Amino acid sequence: MEKDSASTSSSSLSSSPDEESDLHFRSNDETPRSSTDSAEQRPTFAVESLRSRLRRSFKLNLTKKQSIVIFLPIVIIIVYLSTDFSNYFSVKVPDSVFRSNTFTGRAHESDLQALYLLRKQEIDLFSIWNHTLSNLSTIEEVKSAVFRQISLNRQIQNALLSPHKTGNVEIGESSDGYLAGGSCRKVDQKLLGKKTIQWKPKSDKFLFAICLSGQMSNHLICLEKHMFFAALLKRVLVIPSHRFDYHYSRIIDIDRINTCLGRTVVVSFEEFWKKDKNRKKHHHVHINRFICYFSKPEPCYVDKEHITKLKALGITIGGKLDTPWEEDIASPSNKTAEEVETNFRSDDDVIAIGDVFYANVEREWMMQPGGPIAHKCKTLIEPNRLILLTAQRFIQTFLGKNYIALHFRRHGFLKFCNAKNPSCFYPIPQAANCITRLIEKVEAPVIYLSTDAAESETGLLQSLLTLNGKSILLVKRPARDSAEKWDALLYRHGLEGDSQVEAMLDKTISAMSSVFIGASGSTFTEDILRLRKDWRTASDCDEYLCANEQPNFVADHE
């Protein structure tokens, strides 16, 4: 089971809840009109006049604030109904759409659908009216409600156009940059003023990475921090052996890291073994100094079992485990790059540092797109080429360009989340409501589901995900089928069935989505957010599941 942490964040989400854009409306009727042109003049909505009439008719003595509460929704609805939003939701209609030929059956069906949607829009507008009269709603709530009506209006347009279209008629991207089919923008990554350091290691100085806490996601975060340490200390980073750690070469592209830097900055354990001069003399690899970043609860997070594994690899360790400072995993303090350089500097050829997963060093640098190290790629740690291509083939086969990705962490999460205050484990009906609200913004036809939940839970979730009377499908990776070719690369290269490869494939598909919903407290989610940040796929609608809510029911502790 993965040991989750909220130690990293992205767009937080990144570990603070996984953000919403304003819509700016304007009327198409911008031509000035003369006050004397009464025949052309439109009626106006006089709030003060209506207020006076209501006072006389119902003997109401309304304050200005009460008047605003009552009349604001009326103004919003009238502005909405009288405004042309064509500049924001452009419909690309082919010249051949409106032809003389009639398609009676299709037209009748679309008319009925349009009438149903208009009825729903009427009900929703009355709901906005009644809600606003009883509650002084926030601007964001009003904007969200109005946008839902715009979205519904667009569906009505498509329903009315459907019997006439002979090609692809779709709602395109609006003029102010919103994504097609929704109100979510891509996050504008601030690349100017980015603070980075050069990684120019000495070819005979090595840093042995030690990552032991949690599962693969934790180890990848730990490895990224080790790269930062190696750059600060001007050392080549040694990727751990799969006999001691995970099989990194099956998951990430190690050689690509060197290509991105234009020099050798990382080597596999096997390459290090061949190069080490001590091995040639003594038939073993010697770590001159083993430095622990954390002193509590135990030095380096290393126990006797891990020491035994290191020795089994032919590795000897000089001296005892030591630490340059008092640092507790439970409450890591903020450290600077200068403090790391000063306290971990050594003239020894080979040093090891562990475990740095919980280390809090130059957080702002680490959270920059692409990380704190200068390089020519978007990110240093990314899925290997086979996994990347397989993810693209899966998306082309099952999902298409516009989809939501959901990391729905459940197994072992109930106890983990309930130990927090507030809990991050949500009842499925509540989770379904949160997801549906986001679907209304994105209007994606499918949701890619990455989960460890049982079928009983995912089945209930699927049954509750509906929008405008239609079910929103949850798509999971299917079991291997020889008739399907999207995963052939993994099969041919012997990567099929590897749980870590499959986990990285899930991350890659999720990182490419239009919008991502993550699980708060999960490092699996945090690694997806890192990829989205670095690949520039992050959306301002990315969020943690039910980010602004607490579970409506929480079980007692044992």
Side-chain angles (χ1 to χ4, degrees):
M1 182 181 74
E2 176 175 334
K3 181 173 181 179
D4 289 291
S5 166
S7 65
T8 62
S9 67
S10 113
S11 40
S12 137
L13 266 181
S14 275
S15 275
S16 49
D18 309 305
E19 325 166 276
E20 195 162 351
S21 301
D22 293 338
L23 287 174
H24 305 287
F25 304 124
R26 62 182 175 87
S27 171
N28 265 9
D29 185 21
E30 294 178 348
T31 306
R33 295 181 182 269
S34 169
S35 59
T36 60
D37 190 4
S38 57
E40 295 291 320
Q41 191 171 5
R42 295 186 179 183
T44 58
F45 183 76
V47 174
E48 287 300 324
S49 174
L50 184 56
R51 178 182 168 192
S52 301
R53 273 181 261 149
L54 282 174
R55 187 187 291 116
R56 289 196 300 270
S57 301
F58 299 100
K59 297 180 181 180
L60 295 174
N61 186 18
L62 301 176
T63 66
K64 191 170 184 178
K65 185 174 181 180
Q66 290 170 331
S67 299
I68 291 173
V69 172
I70 292 175
F71 299 129
L72 178 60
I74 301 175
V75 174
I76 291 172
I77 293 170
I78 290 177
V79 169
Y80 164 66
L81 293 175
S82 63
T83 302
D84 181 3
F85 291 98
S86 61
N87 287 335
Y88 299 91
F89 301 97
S90 55
V91 182
K92 301 171 186 175
V93 184
D95 295 336
S96 59
V97 165
F98 299 105
R99 296 186 174 183
S100 58
N101 295 336
T102 59
F103 305 95
T104 307
R106 290 170 60 193
H108 181 66
E109 182 182 346
S110 67
D111 288 346
L112 289 176
Q113 184 182 3
L115 286 171
Y116 163 78
L117 292 171
L118 283 168
R119 175 59 179 159
K120 186 178 188 307
Q121 187 175 49
E122 179 187 23
I123 293 170
D124 288 347
L125 285 170
F126 273 114
S127 175
I128 296 170
W129 166 264
N130 293 330
H131 178 72
T132 314
L133 285 179
S134 58
N135 300 285
L136 187 59
S137 301
T138 65
I139 294 298
E140 287 300 320
E141 288 173 335
V142 173
K143 281 164 47 183
S144 177
V146 171
F147 182 81
R148 284 198 298 272
Q149 300 315 306
I150 297 169
S151 172
L152 192 59
N153 185 272
R154 186 170 51 194
Q155 293 178 50
I156 296 169
Q157 293 179 51
N158 282 331
L160 292 171
L161 282 172
S162 62
H164 308 284
K165 64 183 179 181
T166 57
N168 291 327
V169 180
E170 60 182 15
I171 301 297
E173 183 173 323
S174 65
S175 59
D176 60 354
Y178 285 94
L179 296 180
S183 63
C184 303
R185 292 177 183 268
K186 293 295 182 186
V187 174
D188 182 16
Q189 301 288 0
K190 308 298 182 185
L191 300 179
L192 294 177
K194 181 179 174 182
K195 189 175 182 181
T196 59
I197 62 168
Q198 297 292 325
W199 188 359
K200 296 181 177 180
K202 298 175 182 177
S203 60
D204 59 345
K205 301 294 181 183
F206 297 91
L207 169 61
F208 202 97
I210 302 291
C211 297
L212 303 174
S213 61
Q215 295 191 11
M216 173 59 84
S217 295
N218 299 48
H219 287 224
L220 290 177
I221 294 170
C222 174
L223 196 62
E224 183 183 28
K225 293 181 180 180
H226 267 299
M227 289 181 179
F228 187 35
F229 277 49
L232 291 172
L233 301 173
K234 295 179 173 57
R235 290 178 175 270
V236 176
L237 184 67
V238 180
I239 305 295
S241 167
H242 66 274
R243 289 183 287 167
F244 178 74
D245 201 335
Y246 287 107
H247 209 317
Y248 288 102
S249 61
R250 295 168 69 92
I251 309 300
I252 62 175
D253 194 337
I254 296 174
D255 291 335
R256 179 182 165 280
I257 298 172
N258 292 326
T259 302
C260 291
L261 271 294
R263 64 186 72 91
T264 300
V265 293
V266 297
V267 295
S268 66
F269 175 78
E270 290 71 24
E271 291 175 298
F272 171 66
W273 177 272
K274 294 175 183 177
K275 290 181 178 181
D276 187 66
K277 57 188 178 183
N278 286 318
R279 184 199 64 79
K280 294 176 182 177
K281 293 180 180 178
H282 309 291
H283 304 288
H284 65 258
V285 170
H286 186 69
I287 296 177
N288 303 108
R289 187 182 177 198
F290 203 136
I291 312 170
C292 299
Y293 186 93
F294 289 98
S295 57
K296 298 177 182 178
E298 57 184 354
C300 290
Y301 237 50
V302 177
D303 53 21
K304 291 182 180 179
E305 179 184 353
H306 287 104
I307 295 294
T308 301
K309 284 184 177 180
L310 285 173
K311 290 180 178 178
L313 290 172
I315 297 174
T316 59
I317 302 173
K320 297 181 179 180
L321 302 180
D322 68 281
T323 180
W325 48 41
E326 287 291 315
E327 191 74 0
D328 192 339
I329 283 177
S331 55
S333 59
N334 297 324
K335 300 293 184 182
T336 65
E338 290 74 18
E339 287 177 299
V340 170
E341 289 183 72
T342 301
N343 288 278
F344 291 89
R345 185 183 295 121
S346 174
D347 292 329
D348 295 309
D349 291 340
V350 184
I351 67 172
I353 300 177
D355 179 323
V356 298
F357 169 72
Y358 293 102
N360 190 1
V361 178
E362 300 290 3
R363 182 176 175 79
E364 289 187 6
W365 286 20
M366 297 296 296
M367 290 309 302
Q368 295 175 124
I373 299 170
H375 58 86
K376 61 183 180 182
C377 302
K378 286 186 176 180
T379 185
L380 290 178
I381 299 179
E382 76 172 24
N384 69 37
R385 184 68 177 164
L386 294 175
I387 294 176
L388 194 60
L389 287 173
T390 301
Q392 292 173 353
R393 292 180 176 186
F394 180 88
I395 293 168
Q396 184 178 0
T397 303
F398 294 101
L399 302 173
K401 183 178 180 180
N402 184 30
Y403 65 96
I404 296 171
L406 169 65
H407 176 216
F408 194 52
R409 175 74 189 275
R410 302 297 278 185
H411 181 70
F413 223 42
L414 176 59
K415 186 175 181 179
F416 170 80
C417 281
N418 282 359
K420 295 181 167 189
N421 187 20
S423 173
C424 53
F425 192 89
Y426 296 89
I428 289 177
Q430 184 179 1
N433 285 336
C434 296
I435 296 167
T436 301
R437 286 199 298 271
L438 188 59
I439 294 171
E440 289 178 337
K441 294 181 183 179
V442 183
E443 295 187 5
V446 293
I447 298 176
Y448 178 69
L449 179 63
S450 174
T451 187
D452 55 7
E455 287 294 330
S456 58
E457 293 184 80
T458 58
L460 176 58
L461 180 64
Q462 174 65 88
S463 68
L464 294 172
L465 289 178
T466 59
L467 183 64
N468 298 325
K470 294 183 179 180
S471 178
I472 303 299
L473 294 179
L474 295 174
V475 179
K476 293 194 291 185
R477 282 184 299 102
R480 171 157 176 77
D481 187 333
S482 58
E484 296 175 357
K485 300 302 179 185
W486 64 269
D487 59 349
L489 287 173
L490 300 184
Y491 177 76
R492 291 205 304 265
H493 289 82
L495 298 177
E496 183 205 8
D498 186 316
S499 61
Q500 299 307 323
V501 170
E502 291 178 348
M504 183 56 83
L505 179 58
D506 268 358
K507 288 181 183 179
T508 308
I509 297 170
S510 297
M512 293 179 175
S513 63
S514 301
V515 171
F516 173 63
I517 306 172
S520 176
S522 167
T523 52
F524 189 95
T525 281
E526 298 306 323
D527 204 33
I528 292 171
L529 292 172
R530 176 189 64 82
L531 284 173
R532 289 178 67 77
K533 165 178 63 71
D534 291 353
W535 284 348
R536 323 292 194 260
T537 58
S539 162
D540 62 5
C541 290
D542 289 355
E543 61 181 38
Y544 291 121
L545 179 65
C546 298
N548 298 316
E549 299 181 21
Q550 294 187 18
N552 58 31
F553 186 88
V554 178
D556 293 335
H557 295 294
E558 294 179 9

